[in-house]
Amino acid sequence: MKIRMQSGPCPWSRAAMVLLGVALAAGLAWAAAADEEPAAMTMEREMVIDPTTGMEVPAPQYGGTLTAANDRDIANTDQSVGGLSAGYANSGVVEKLGIGNWGIDRSINPMSTEYLDITHYTGALAQSWEQPDPTTFIFTVRENARWHDKEPMNGRPLTASDIVFNFQRLSGTGPFEEPPPNTSRMPQLNFTRLEAIDDGTVYIEIDTPPLDALKVLIDDNFGFILPPEVIKANGDVADWRTLVGTGPFMLVDWVEAESLTFHKNPGYWGHDEKYPDNQLPYVDEVKVLIMPESATYIAALRAGRIDYIGHNMSTHLSTIDEADSLLRTNPELRANSYYFRSNQVFAMYVQDKPFDDIRVRQAMQMALDNETIAATLYKGQALATPQGVVGRALKDYVVPYEEWSPELQHAYSYDPEGAEALLDEAGYPRGDDGVRFKVPLQQSSTGPLQDYPAIAVEYWKAIGVEVVVDAVDGAEFVNRLDNGQLFGLSPAISGTPYFPLDSLQWQEPGAKWNRGQFDDPVYNDLVKQAREATSYDELKALVREADHYLVQQHWYTWGPIAPNFNFSQPWVGGFNGDFYMGVWQKNQVFARLWIDQALKAEMGF
């Protein structure tokens, strides 16, 4: 898209102008520094080819400690149902039946979004699986998977009965009267048969399966296989000391609000998907330091106290200025940018004036000069091209912008004169004070990236729409969200890399994330049909249609996708900014990274 610059006075306030600055002229330090090899890296080392990229890289090596920063105050609760703990404490200790294939060609999946096609998985605790018909699934348990050598499991082999026990617990079947209070999809599968045929085979039949049933079975949100003996003895794994798994790491210490420590499981079954002769994990220890403030973990990275900040620990950098500053002072660091989703999106409450009129909603979009904002606020690094709620990472599920009609493309382009004409036509003329109407923008005062909303408010002011920012604390914002009280405008997300049915369901009536209270029979029927699709070709066609219909209805204003940044020290091997191996399977990535200890020592650390 060509950047359209407005002629005449700019609608931004002085504050907004300061936010935008002169970023384009300054350029980005990280863009150049990321391509430069530090002098210390010229030492001779054994090199190998990374089969996922075709690049020559230093060979993996064993030993050492990998230290990462996490900004979450992880609660020591029952990790099987405990939300954040499932990813930050459980993963890498306990495992699921399947995992994202670290060995996949990065041109097929860069492993830097939160989307995996079913073909992008490989076996974990399930060595293989087959689906003889839509309702039947047969899993072969990995022969050499064993529980950690820790009481009460004592290194015994994993069995099919262990998996059945966990699936019964998650679905509220068998000896369990109801499922745990989490977001597991297991109860929706309606098991009609769930049994261990023998120690190595799990046989499952389900009633009227969703199309993604296999994905639920191998990578459900909380589908970690927990130790049955611990559950039977304690009812849960609320005490981390009782957590025993089959994974590459053992959780050996947890100081709340300070750190978690994981030690290598010497008898781990897994091998590196890139280099199959290499047993995992490479590092002897993973140390996760709890650092809630970005200034703290940035300083620690600068000083060499930590090796990694990034998406998997929620310590990725979300602003270009932070990334630029870090690489100006530490050009030896490796920066990897990635595009996740747009957080610069606003939902419009469509059940009342003025946003019950599609002309008003379209005018709100046409008032925003996203291309200029992307070129200035985001220093040319943001993606301004409009998308629906389903992101372009899911290539077969969306109608790309290039295929939109010229009329729809124009409706998502900057045209303040056209926006004003639409508002006049909709019956909202300017008053004596130049204001057409006032609307609230409800947002959390603790939310990230507050610059874009301030700039958007100025653009809307320029077409006579006065947006009054109502910033409330996080708890009150969630309360309003839960009770459908986000009137006017509210922040939302779009261009998401999630399973498409997850993103589409946010716009259905009654959905918690339905911020605009959308209830459109055409859209609802398309989503219903997509949910009932019996083939992926049918699903892709219906998702494309539903997502494009949503775009045409202008339920959201679109804003640029700003880059995020993962950082690592130059001595961290195996990391290219990739991070996604399945839902909450965060620490599994660390099992596939290594520390170049000679380089680290040569650099004085």
Side-chain angles (χ1 to χ4, degrees), residues 347-351 389 477 480-488 490-493 502-520 523-524 550 555-556:
M348 290 173 273
Y349 184 77
V350 300
Q351 297 300 324
V389 294
F477 183 82
R480 294 183 186 183
L481 174 62
D482 289 343
N483 292 285
Q485 296 176 338
L486 294 179
F487 308 117
S490 60
I493 59 176
D502 294 340
S503 302
L504 291 183
Q505 70 179 356
W506 300 334
Q507 289 72 230
E508 290 186 290
K512 175 180 179 178
W513 302 106
N514 189 343
R515 302 180 183 218
Q517 297 301 304
F518 313 120
D519 187 0
D520 185 297
Y523 179 83
N524 297 343
L550 178 151
W555 289 339
Y556 300 99

mmCIF file of all heavy atoms in Angstrom, residues 347-351 389 477 480-488 490-493 502-520 523-524 550 555-556:
data_model
loop_
_atom_site.group_PDB
_atom_site.id
_atom_site.type_symbol
_atom_site.label_atom_id
_atom_site.label_comp_id
_atom_site.label_asym_id
_atom_site.label_seq_id
_atom_site.Cartn_x
_atom_site.Cartn_y
_atom_site.Cartn_z
ATOM 1 N N ALA A 347 -12.660 -2.491 19.229
ATOM 2 C CA ALA A 347 -13.999 -3.026 18.975
ATOM 3 C C ALA A 347 -15.006 -1.906 19.173
ATOM 4 O O ALA A 347 -14.847 -1.046 20.043
ATOM 5 C CB ALA A 347 -14.295 -4.175 19.936
ATOM 6 N N MET A 348 -16.053 -1.925 18.341
ATOM 7 C CA MET A 348 -17.103 -0.918 18.441
ATOM 8 C C MET A 348 -18.400 -1.573 18.912
ATOM 9 O O MET A 348 -18.812 -2.611 18.372
ATOM 10 C CB MET A 348 -17.299 -0.231 17.084
ATOM 11 C CG MET A 348 -16.126 0.661 16.707
ATOM 12 S SD MET A 348 -16.201 1.348 15.026
ATOM 13 C CE MET A 348 -15.426 0.014 14.091
ATOM 14 N N TYR A 349 -19.000 -0.998 19.928
ATOM 15 C CA TYR A 349 -20.242 -1.525 20.497
ATOM 16 C C TYR A 349 -21.372 -1.271 19.498
ATOM 17 O O TYR A 349 -21.817 -0.128 19.310
ATOM 18 C CB TYR A 349 -20.529 -0.846 21.832
ATOM 19 C CG TYR A 349 -21.743 -1.375 22.558
ATOM 20 C CD1 TYR A 349 -21.682 -2.583 23.243
ATOM 21 C CD2 TYR A 349 -22.939 -0.676 22.554
ATOM 22 C CE1 TYR A 349 -22.793 -3.078 23.916
ATOM 23 C CE2 TYR A 349 -24.053 -1.164 23.216
ATOM 24 C CZ TYR A 349 -23.975 -2.362 23.893
ATOM 25 O OH TYR A 349 -25.083 -2.854 24.544
ATOM 26 N N VAL A 350 -21.840 -2.349 18.858
ATOM 27 C CA VAL A 350 -22.755 -2.206 17.724
ATOM 28 C C VAL A 350 -24.228 -2.242 18.111
ATOM 29 O O VAL A 350 -25.097 -2.091 17.244
ATOM 30 C CB VAL A 350 -22.487 -3.315 16.675
ATOM 31 C CG1 VAL A 350 -21.061 -3.225 16.154
ATOM 32 C CG2 VAL A 350 -22.792 -4.698 17.247
ATOM 33 N N GLN A 351 -24.520 -2.414 19.400
ATOM 34 C CA GLN A 351 -25.916 -2.536 19.805
ATOM 35 C C GLN A 351 -26.583 -1.191 20.090
ATOM 36 O O GLN A 351 -27.742 -1.145 20.489
ATOM 37 C CB GLN A 351 -26.015 -3.433 21.049
ATOM 38 C CG GLN A 351 -25.563 -4.865 20.817
ATOM 39 C CD GLN A 351 -26.378 -5.561 19.737
ATOM 40 O OE1 GLN A 351 -27.584 -5.329 19.606
ATOM 41 N NE2 GLN A 351 -25.723 -6.390 18.933
ATOM 42 N N VAL A 389 -9.702 -11.014 11.836
ATOM 43 C CA VAL A 389 -9.271 -11.538 13.139
ATOM 44 C C VAL A 389 -8.355 -12.738 12.956
ATOM 45 O O VAL A 389 -7.511 -13.032 13.802
ATOM 46 C CB VAL A 389 -10.464 -11.914 14.037
ATOM 47 C CG1 VAL A 389 -11.246 -10.679 14.430
ATOM 48 C CG2 VAL A 389 -11.351 -12.954 13.397
ATOM 49 N N PHE A 477 -11.642 -3.269 34.506
ATOM 50 C CA PHE A 477 -11.792 -3.520 33.075
ATOM 51 C C PHE A 477 -12.282 -4.944 32.835
ATOM 52 O O PHE A 477 -13.183 -5.175 32.023
ATOM 53 C CB PHE A 477 -10.472 -3.290 32.352
ATOM 54 C CG PHE A 477 -10.559 -3.457 30.859
ATOM 55 C CD1 PHE A 477 -11.021 -2.424 30.068
ATOM 56 C CD2 PHE A 477 -10.201 -4.646 30.245
ATOM 57 C CE1 PHE A 477 -11.126 -2.556 28.686
ATOM 58 C CE2 PHE A 477 -10.300 -4.806 28.875
ATOM 59 C CZ PHE A 477 -10.765 -3.759 28.094
ATOM 60 N N ARG A 480 -15.957 -5.216 33.643
ATOM 61 C CA ARG A 480 -16.812 -4.688 32.571
ATOM 62 C C ARG A 480 -16.855 -5.655 31.384
ATOM 63 O O ARG A 480 -17.907 -5.847 30.764
ATOM 64 C CB ARG A 480 -16.298 -3.325 32.117
ATOM 65 C CG ARG A 480 -16.409 -2.244 33.182
ATOM 66 C CD ARG A 480 -15.938 -0.889 32.639
ATOM 67 N NE ARG A 480 -15.891 0.127 33.680
ATOM 68 C CZ ARG A 480 -15.569 1.401 33.464
ATOM 69 N NH1 ARG A 480 -15.249 1.806 32.236
ATOM 70 N NH2 ARG A 480 -15.544 2.267 34.467
ATOM 71 N N LEU A 481 -15.714 -6.246 31.078
ATOM 72 C CA LEU A 481 -15.671 -7.219 29.994
ATOM 73 C C LEU A 481 -16.571 -8.407 30.304
ATOM 74 O O LEU A 481 -17.365 -8.845 29.469
ATOM 75 C CB LEU A 481 -14.232 -7.683 29.779
ATOM 76 C CG LEU A 481 -14.002 -8.810 28.771
ATOM 77 C CD1 LEU A 481 -14.444 -8.392 27.383
ATOM 78 C CD2 LEU A 481 -12.524 -9.213 28.749
ATOM 79 N N ASP A 482 -16.466 -8.939 31.520
ATOM 80 C CA ASP A 482 -17.263 -10.103 31.913
ATOM 81 C C ASP A 482 -18.757 -9.823 31.884
ATOM 82 O O ASP A 482 -19.562 -10.725 31.636
ATOM 83 C CB ASP A 482 -16.862 -10.568 33.315
ATOM 84 C CG ASP A 482 -15.483 -11.207 33.352
ATOM 85 O OD1 ASP A 482 -14.979 -11.579 32.271
ATOM 86 O OD2 ASP A 482 -14.910 -11.328 34.450
ATOM 87 N N ASN A 483 -19.130 -8.565 32.123
ATOM 88 C CA ASN A 483 -20.545 -8.213 32.210
ATOM 89 C C ASN A 483 -21.070 -7.498 30.970
ATOM 90 O O ASN A 483 -22.166 -6.941 30.994
ATOM 91 C CB ASN A 483 -20.785 -7.342 33.450
ATOM 92 C CG ASN A 483 -20.594 -8.114 34.741
ATOM 93 O OD1 ASN A 483 -21.439 -8.918 35.129
ATOM 94 N ND2 ASN A 483 -19.468 -7.894 35.409
ATOM 95 N N GLY A 484 -20.290 -7.539 29.867
ATOM 96 C CA GLY A 484 -20.746 -6.945 28.615
ATOM 97 C C GLY A 484 -20.970 -5.452 28.698
ATOM 98 O O GLY A 484 -21.911 -4.921 28.092
ATOM 99 N N GLN A 485 -20.116 -4.744 29.457
ATOM 100 C CA GLN A 485 -20.316 -3.316 29.687
ATOM 101 C C GLN A 485 -19.228 -2.459 29.047
ATOM 102 O O GLN A 485 -18.938 -1.372 29.508
ATOM 103 C CB GLN A 485 -20.375 -3.046 31.189
ATOM 104 C CG GLN A 485 -21.564 -3.715 31.865
ATOM 105 C CD GLN A 485 -21.563 -3.519 33.367
ATOM 106 O OE1 GLN A 485 -20.539 -3.249 33.977
ATOM 107 N NE2 GLN A 485 -22.727 -3.653 33.969
ATOM 108 N N LEU A 486 -18.632 -2.961 27.986
ATOM 109 C CA LEU A 486 -17.629 -2.174 27.271
ATOM 110 C C LEU A 486 -18.323 -1.408 26.146
ATOM 111 O O LEU A 486 -18.285 -1.791 24.991
ATOM 112 C CB LEU A 486 -16.514 -3.078 26.735
ATOM 113 C CG LEU A 486 -15.650 -3.746 27.797
ATOM 114 C CD1 LEU A 486 -14.607 -4.639 27.147
ATOM 115 C CD2 LEU A 486 -14.959 -2.708 28.687
ATOM 116 N N PHE A 487 -18.986 -0.320 26.511
ATOM 117 C CA PHE A 487 -19.715 0.476 25.537
ATOM 118 C C PHE A 487 -18.751 1.377 24.762
ATOM 119 O O PHE A 487 -17.635 1.623 25.180
ATOM 120 C CB PHE A 487 -20.781 1.314 26.244
ATOM 121 C CG PHE A 487 -21.680 0.514 27.137
ATOM 122 C CD1 PHE A 487 -21.714 0.741 28.498
ATOM 123 C CD2 PHE A 487 -22.461 -0.510 26.609
ATOM 124 C CE1 PHE A 487 -22.533 -0.011 29.326
ATOM 125 C CE2 PHE A 487 -23.287 -1.272 27.425
ATOM 126 C CZ PHE A 487 -23.317 -1.019 28.793
ATOM 127 N N GLY A 488 -19.209 1.877 23.611
ATOM 128 C CA GLY A 488 -18.370 2.744 22.800
ATOM 129 C C GLY A 488 -17.241 1.958 22.165
ATOM 130 O O GLY A 488 -17.466 0.968 21.460
ATOM 131 N N SER A 490 -13.476 -0.145 22.679
ATOM 132 C CA SER A 490 -12.634 -0.852 23.648
ATOM 133 C C SER A 490 -11.519 -1.554 22.897
ATOM 134 O O SER A 490 -11.687 -1.960 21.744
ATOM 135 C CB SER A 490 -13.450 -1.868 24.455
ATOM 136 O OG SER A 490 -14.045 -2.834 23.611
ATOM 137 N N PRO A 491 -10.349 -1.701 23.520
ATOM 138 C CA PRO A 491 -9.221 -2.344 22.841
ATOM 139 C C PRO A 491 -9.492 -3.810 22.603
ATOM 140 O O PRO A 491 -10.134 -4.493 23.401
ATOM 141 C CB PRO A 491 -8.055 -2.139 23.812
ATOM 142 C CG PRO A 491 -8.707 -1.953 25.143
ATOM 143 C CD PRO A 491 -10.007 -1.263 24.876
ATOM 144 N N ALA A 492 -8.986 -4.315 21.478
ATOM 145 C CA ALA A 492 -9.182 -5.715 21.105
ATOM 146 C C ALA A 492 -7.915 -6.184 20.398
ATOM 147 O O ALA A 492 -6.899 -5.480 20.354
ATOM 148 C CB ALA A 492 -10.415 -5.870 20.211
ATOM 149 N N ILE A 493 -7.958 -7.383 19.841
ATOM 150 C CA ILE A 493 -6.830 -7.922 19.080
ATOM 151 C C ILE A 493 -7.345 -8.452 17.751
ATOM 152 O O ILE A 493 -8.516 -8.808 17.610
ATOM 153 C CB ILE A 493 -6.083 -9.040 19.839
ATOM 154 C CG1 ILE A 493 -7.041 -10.195 20.177
ATOM 155 C CG2 ILE A 493 -5.417 -8.490 21.091
ATOM 156 C CD1 ILE A 493 -6.351 -11.379 20.844
ATOM 157 N N ASP A 502 -10.974 -20.653 17.194
ATOM 158 C CA ASP A 502 -10.809 -19.905 18.442
ATOM 159 C C ASP A 502 -11.011 -18.413 18.198
ATOM 160 O O ASP A 502 -11.686 -17.727 18.966
ATOM 161 C CB ASP A 502 -9.420 -20.153 19.040
ATOM 162 C CG ASP A 502 -9.224 -21.582 19.497
ATOM 163 O OD1 ASP A 502 -10.240 -22.285 19.707
ATOM 164 O OD2 ASP A 502 -8.064 -22.016 19.637
ATOM 165 N N SER A 503 -10.413 -17.892 17.136
ATOM 166 C CA SER A 503 -10.533 -16.464 16.841
ATOM 167 C C SER A 503 -11.941 -16.096 16.396
ATOM 168 O O SER A 503 -12.452 -15.028 16.744
ATOM 169 C CB SER A 503 -9.523 -16.069 15.761
ATOM 170 O OG SER A 503 -8.205 -16.366 16.165
ATOM 171 N N LEU A 504 -12.591 -16.959 15.639
ATOM 172 C CA LEU A 504 -13.932 -16.649 15.142
ATOM 173 C C LEU A 504 -14.972 -16.653 16.254
ATOM 174 O O LEU A 504 -15.962 -15.902 16.203
ATOM 175 C CB LEU A 504 -14.335 -17.649 14.057
ATOM 176 C CG LEU A 504 -13.577 -17.565 12.727
ATOM 177 C CD1 LEU A 504 -14.142 -18.576 11.737
ATOM 178 C CD2 LEU A 504 -13.637 -16.154 12.128
ATOM 179 N N GLN A 505 -14.774 -17.488 17.276
ATOM 180 C CA GLN A 505 -15.805 -17.604 18.302
ATOM 181 C C GLN A 505 -15.909 -16.349 19.175
ATOM 182 O O GLN A 505 -16.909 -16.136 19.860
ATOM 183 C CB GLN A 505 -15.537 -18.810 19.192
ATOM 184 C CG GLN A 505 -14.330 -18.675 20.102
ATOM 185 C CD GLN A 505 -14.114 -19.896 20.979
ATOM 186 O OE1 GLN A 505 -14.910 -20.832 20.965
ATOM 187 N NE2 GLN A 505 -13.033 -19.901 21.751
ATOM 188 N N TRP A 506 -14.884 -15.485 19.143
ATOM 189 C CA TRP A 506 -14.936 -14.264 19.942
ATOM 190 C C TRP A 506 -16.075 -13.343 19.514
ATOM 191 O O TRP A 506 -16.513 -12.500 20.293
ATOM 192 C CB TRP A 506 -13.625 -13.486 19.815
ATOM 193 C CG TRP A 506 -12.422 -14.239 20.275
ATOM 194 C CD1 TRP A 506 -12.373 -15.248 21.200
ATOM 195 C CD2 TRP A 506 -11.076 -14.044 19.833
ATOM 196 N NE1 TRP A 506 -11.091 -15.691 21.368
ATOM 197 C CE2 TRP A 506 -10.253 -14.976 20.536
ATOM 198 C CE3 TRP A 506 -10.470 -13.185 18.922
ATOM 199 C CZ2 TRP A 506 -8.885 -15.052 20.344
ATOM 200 C CZ3 TRP A 506 -9.101 -13.266 18.735
ATOM 201 C CH2 TRP A 506 -8.322 -14.180 19.445
ATOM 202 N N GLN A 507 -16.547 -13.475 18.291
ATOM 203 C CA GLN A 507 -17.596 -12.578 17.787
ATOM 204 C C GLN A 507 -18.986 -13.203 17.880
ATOM 205 O O GLN A 507 -19.949 -12.634 17.376
ATOM 206 C CB GLN A 507 -17.298 -12.189 16.332
ATOM 207 C CG GLN A 507 -16.119 -11.251 16.159
ATOM 208 C CD GLN A 507 -14.786 -11.909 16.412
ATOM 209 O OE1 GLN A 507 -13.958 -11.420 17.158
ATOM 210 N NE2 GLN A 507 -14.557 -13.072 15.780
ATOM 211 N N GLU A 508 -19.098 -14.357 18.506
ATOM 212 C CA GLU A 508 -20.408 -14.993 18.650
ATOM 213 C C GLU A 508 -21.139 -14.426 19.869
ATOM 214 O O GLU A 508 -20.510 -14.030 20.853
ATOM 215 C CB GLU A 508 -20.243 -16.503 18.814
ATOM 216 C CG GLU A 508 -19.779 -17.212 17.557
ATOM 217 C CD GLU A 508 -19.770 -18.722 17.736
ATOM 218 O OE1 GLU A 508 -18.916 -19.224 18.485
ATOM 219 O OE2 GLU A 508 -20.616 -19.380 17.119
ATOM 220 N N PRO A 509 -22.473 -14.400 19.829
ATOM 221 C CA PRO A 509 -23.217 -13.881 20.982
ATOM 222 C C PRO A 509 -22.945 -14.707 22.225
ATOM 223 O O PRO A 509 -22.884 -15.932 22.176
ATOM 224 C CB PRO A 509 -24.685 -14.003 20.533
ATOM 225 C CG PRO A 509 -24.679 -14.988 19.403
ATOM 226 C CD PRO A 509 -23.358 -14.832 18.738
ATOM 227 N N GLY A 510 -22.728 -14.008 23.337
ATOM 228 C CA GLY A 510 -22.475 -14.688 24.597
ATOM 229 C C GLY A 510 -21.022 -14.976 24.872
ATOM 230 O O GLY A 510 -20.668 -15.343 25.997
ATOM 231 N N ALA A 511 -20.146 -14.838 23.877
ATOM 232 C CA ALA A 511 -18.724 -15.106 24.089
ATOM 233 C C ALA A 511 -18.123 -14.019 24.987
ATOM 234 O O ALA A 511 -18.424 -12.834 24.844
ATOM 235 C CB ALA A 511 -17.983 -15.143 22.767
ATOM 236 N N LYS A 512 -17.256 -14.439 25.905
ATOM 237 C CA LYS A 512 -16.656 -13.486 26.843
ATOM 238 C C LYS A 512 -15.910 -12.380 26.114
ATOM 239 O O LYS A 512 -15.948 -11.220 26.528
ATOM 240 C CB LYS A 512 -15.712 -14.220 27.790
ATOM 241 C CG LYS A 512 -14.942 -13.293 28.730
ATOM 242 C CD LYS A 512 -14.026 -14.050 29.661
ATOM 243 C CE LYS A 512 -13.260 -13.088 30.566
ATOM 244 N NZ LYS A 512 -12.394 -13.799 31.533
ATOM 245 N N TRP A 513 -15.223 -12.738 25.013
ATOM 246 C CA TRP A 513 -14.389 -11.749 24.331
ATOM 247 C C TRP A 513 -15.156 -10.970 23.271
ATOM 248 O O TRP A 513 -14.559 -10.258 22.477
ATOM 249 C CB TRP A 513 -13.182 -12.446 23.702
ATOM 250 C CG TRP A 513 -12.367 -13.174 24.728
ATOM 251 C CD1 TRP A 513 -12.303 -14.515 24.920
ATOM 252 C CD2 TRP A 513 -11.532 -12.593 25.723
ATOM 253 N NE1 TRP A 513 -11.473 -14.819 25.973
ATOM 254 C CE2 TRP A 513 -10.984 -13.654 26.485
ATOM 255 C CE3 TRP A 513 -11.177 -11.276 26.047
ATOM 256 C CZ2 TRP A 513 -10.119 -13.439 27.549
ATOM 257 C CZ3 TRP A 513 -10.303 -11.069 27.105
ATOM 258 C CH2 TRP A 513 -9.786 -12.133 27.841
ATOM 259 N N ASN A 514 -16.485 -11.101 23.264
ATOM 260 C CA ASN A 514 -17.309 -10.364 22.307
ATOM 261 C C ASN A 514 -17.492 -8.939 22.817
ATOM 262 O O ASN A 514 -18.546 -8.568 23.344
ATOM 263 C CB ASN A 514 -18.657 -11.066 22.132
ATOM 264 C CG ASN A 514 -19.484 -10.482 21.009
ATOM 265 O OD1 ASN A 514 -19.228 -9.365 20.540
ATOM 266 N ND2 ASN A 514 -20.475 -11.220 20.570
ATOM 267 N N ARG A 515 -16.472 -8.127 22.634
ATOM 268 C CA ARG A 515 -16.441 -6.802 23.235
ATOM 269 C C ARG A 515 -17.447 -5.856 22.599
ATOM 270 O O ARG A 515 -17.939 -4.934 23.239
ATOM 271 C CB ARG A 515 -15.039 -6.222 23.145
ATOM 272 C CG ARG A 515 -14.010 -7.100 23.831
ATOM 273 C CD ARG A 515 -12.607 -6.552 23.761
ATOM 274 N NE ARG A 515 -11.666 -7.483 24.384
ATOM 275 C CZ ARG A 515 -10.628 -7.127 25.103
ATOM 276 N NH1 ARG A 515 -10.380 -5.861 25.312
ATOM 277 N NH2 ARG A 515 -9.826 -8.029 25.630
ATOM 278 N N GLY A 516 -17.743 -6.062 21.313
ATOM 279 C CA GLY A 516 -18.697 -5.194 20.645
ATOM 280 C C GLY A 516 -20.128 -5.683 20.704
ATOM 281 O O GLY A 516 -21.014 -5.072 20.121
ATOM 282 N N GLN A 517 -20.355 -6.806 21.424
ATOM 283 C CA GLN A 517 -21.684 -7.423 21.525
ATOM 284 C C GLN A 517 -22.265 -7.697 20.134
ATOM 285 O O GLN A 517 -23.418 -7.420 19.841
ATOM 286 C CB GLN A 517 -22.627 -6.532 22.341
ATOM 287 C CG GLN A 517 -22.184 -6.355 23.788
ATOM 288 C CD GLN A 517 -22.089 -7.678 24.547
ATOM 289 O OE1 GLN A 517 -23.045 -8.425 24.627
ATOM 290 N NE2 GLN A 517 -20.906 -7.964 25.083
ATOM 291 N N PHE A 518 -21.434 -8.279 19.274
ATOM 292 C CA PHE A 518 -21.860 -8.622 17.917
ATOM 293 C C PHE A 518 -22.846 -9.795 17.968
ATOM 294 O O PHE A 518 -22.669 -10.736 18.744
ATOM 295 C CB PHE A 518 -20.644 -9.014 17.070
ATOM 296 C CG PHE A 518 -19.488 -8.065 17.204
ATOM 297 C CD1 PHE A 518 -18.255 -8.512 17.678
ATOM 298 C CD2 PHE A 518 -19.612 -6.720 16.870
ATOM 299 C CE1 PHE A 518 -17.180 -7.648 17.811
ATOM 300 C CE2 PHE A 518 -18.546 -5.850 17.003
ATOM 301 C CZ PHE A 518 -17.324 -6.307 17.477
ATOM 302 N N ASP A 519 -23.850 -9.726 17.152
ATOM 303 C CA ASP A 519 -24.832 -10.814 17.036
ATOM 304 C C ASP A 519 -25.443 -10.733 15.649
ATOM 305 O O ASP A 519 -26.497 -10.151 15.446
ATOM 306 C CB ASP A 519 -25.903 -10.705 18.125
ATOM 307 C CG ASP A 519 -26.842 -11.903 18.148
ATOM 308 O OD1 ASP A 519 -26.655 -12.810 17.310
ATOM 309 O OD2 ASP A 519 -27.758 -11.932 18.995
ATOM 310 N N ASP A 520 -24.726 -11.305 14.698
ATOM 311 C CA ASP A 520 -25.116 -11.225 13.293
ATOM 312 C C ASP A 520 -25.471 -12.621 12.813
ATOM 313 O O ASP A 520 -24.619 -13.519 12.832
ATOM 314 C CB ASP A 520 -23.955 -10.658 12.480
ATOM 315 C CG ASP A 520 -24.307 -10.419 11.027
ATOM 316 O OD1 ASP A 520 -24.621 -11.403 10.320
ATOM 317 O OD2 ASP A 520 -24.252 -9.258 10.592
ATOM 318 N N TYR A 523 -23.074 -14.168 10.130
ATOM 319 C CA TYR A 523 -21.775 -14.555 10.706
ATOM 320 C C TYR A 523 -21.936 -15.763 11.619
ATOM 321 O O TYR A 523 -21.152 -16.726 11.544
ATOM 322 C CB TYR A 523 -21.189 -13.382 11.485
ATOM 323 C CG TYR A 523 -19.858 -13.696 12.129
ATOM 324 C CD1 TYR A 523 -18.674 -13.618 11.403
ATOM 325 C CD2 TYR A 523 -19.786 -14.087 13.476
ATOM 326 C CE1 TYR A 523 -17.453 -13.911 11.991
ATOM 327 C CE2 TYR A 523 -18.566 -14.385 14.070
ATOM 328 C CZ TYR A 523 -17.415 -14.295 13.317
ATOM 329 O OH TYR A 523 -16.212 -14.598 13.905
ATOM 330 N N ASN A 524 -22.950 -15.742 12.479
ATOM 331 C CA ASN A 524 -23.148 -16.849 13.417
ATOM 332 C C ASN A 524 -23.328 -18.175 12.686
ATOM 333 O O ASN A 524 -22.800 -19.211 13.099
ATOM 334 C CB ASN A 524 -24.376 -16.587 14.302
ATOM 335 C CG ASN A 524 -24.205 -15.356 15.171
ATOM 336 O OD1 ASN A 524 -23.091 -14.865 15.365
ATOM 337 N ND2 ASN A 524 -25.315 -14.855 15.688
ATOM 338 N N LEU A 550 -16.637 -10.612 8.424
ATOM 339 C CA LEU A 550 -16.337 -9.765 9.575
ATOM 340 C C LEU A 550 -15.599 -8.497 9.131
ATOM 341 O O LEU A 550 -15.908 -7.394 9.597
ATOM 342 C CB LEU A 550 -15.505 -10.571 10.562
ATOM 343 C CG LEU A 550 -15.005 -9.934 11.842
ATOM 344 C CD1 LEU A 550 -14.868 -11.010 12.915
ATOM 345 C CD2 LEU A 550 -13.660 -9.237 11.655
ATOM 346 N N TRP A 555 -16.483 -4.355 12.221
ATOM 347 C CA TRP A 555 -16.726 -4.434 13.662
ATOM 348 C C TRP A 555 -15.541 -3.927 14.464
ATOM 349 O O TRP A 555 -15.687 -3.541 15.619
ATOM 350 C CB TRP A 555 -17.053 -5.879 14.052
ATOM 351 C CG TRP A 555 -18.403 -6.333 13.562
ATOM 352 C CD1 TRP A 555 -19.448 -5.538 13.200
ATOM 353 C CD2 TRP A 555 -18.846 -7.679 13.383
ATOM 354 N NE1 TRP A 555 -20.518 -6.302 12.796
ATOM 355 C CE2 TRP A 555 -20.174 -7.624 12.907
ATOM 356 C CE3 TRP A 555 -18.251 -8.922 13.577
ATOM 357 C CZ2 TRP A 555 -20.918 -8.755 12.631
ATOM 358 C CZ3 TRP A 555 -18.978 -10.060 13.301
ATOM 359 C CH2 TRP A 555 -20.306 -9.976 12.835
ATOM 360 N N TYR A 556 -14.375 -3.979 13.862
ATOM 361 C CA TYR A 556 -13.162 -3.489 14.506
ATOM 362 C C TYR A 556 -12.503 -2.447 13.603
ATOM 363 O O TYR A 556 -12.603 -2.525 12.374
ATOM 364 C CB TYR A 556 -12.147 -4.621 14.712
ATOM 365 C CG TYR A 556 -12.618 -5.771 15.568
ATOM 366 C CD1 TYR A 556 -13.092 -6.950 14.985
ATOM 367 C CD2 TYR A 556 -12.569 -5.693 16.955
ATOM 368 C CE1 TYR A 556 -13.504 -8.020 15.764
ATOM 369 C CE2 TYR A 556 -12.979 -6.765 17.746
ATOM 370 C CZ TYR A 556 -13.450 -7.920 17.152
ATOM 371 O OH TYR A 556 -13.850 -8.981 17.924
#
